[in-house]
Amino acid sequence: MNVRDNPEHSRFEAAVGDDVAVASYRMKDRTITFTHTEVPEALRGRGVGDALARAALDSARARGLTVVPRCPFIAAFIRRHAEYQDLVAP
């Protein structure tokens, strides 16, 4: 699985075969707000969403960004993975 940032479309993408899962975001200054995550039916239950969230959050950390998890999937992922909670805006 290949996960990449596609800044032209403001989203991270995880491609598996012909299917693509996405985590959409908005950038403002040093803050990334995750707004929506979508995993195609064919990819659900295979860990694609978690891999997408992990890559997006790792990228935010590497770039020194603060995270606002408006997307329920990203918010739940952060709650389950304490190592990302320090990224969340107060």
Side-chain angles (χ1 to χ4, degrees):
M1 172 183 355
N2 178 32
V3 178
R4 71 178 191 101
D5 185 8
N6 183 342
E8 290 105 29
H9 291 107
S10 298
R11 66 189 198 178
F12 282 85
E13 302 170 340
V16 179
D18 292 334
D19 295 305
V20 179
V22 299
S24 299
Y25 62 83
R26 289 189 319 261
M27 286 289 302
K28 183 174 182 186
D29 302 322
R30 304 292 307 154
T31 299
I32 186 167
T33 301
F34 289 99
T35 58
H36 180 71
T37 300
E38 187 169 334
V39 177
E41 187 73 33
L43 299 181
R44 292 184 188 162
R46 297 172 53 188
V48 174
D50 282 358
L52 180 63
R54 188 174 304 282
L57 294 168
D58 286 345
S59 175
R61 182 180 307 284
R63 294 162 48 192
L65 302 176
T66 300
V67 171
V68 177
R70 295 274 184 248
C71 166
F73 183 86
I74 298 291
F77 183 88
I78 292 170
R79 280 193 303 276
R80 289 192 319 270
H81 298 275
E83 66 270 25
Y84 293 109
Q85 292 173 3
D86 64 310
L87 296 174
V88 178

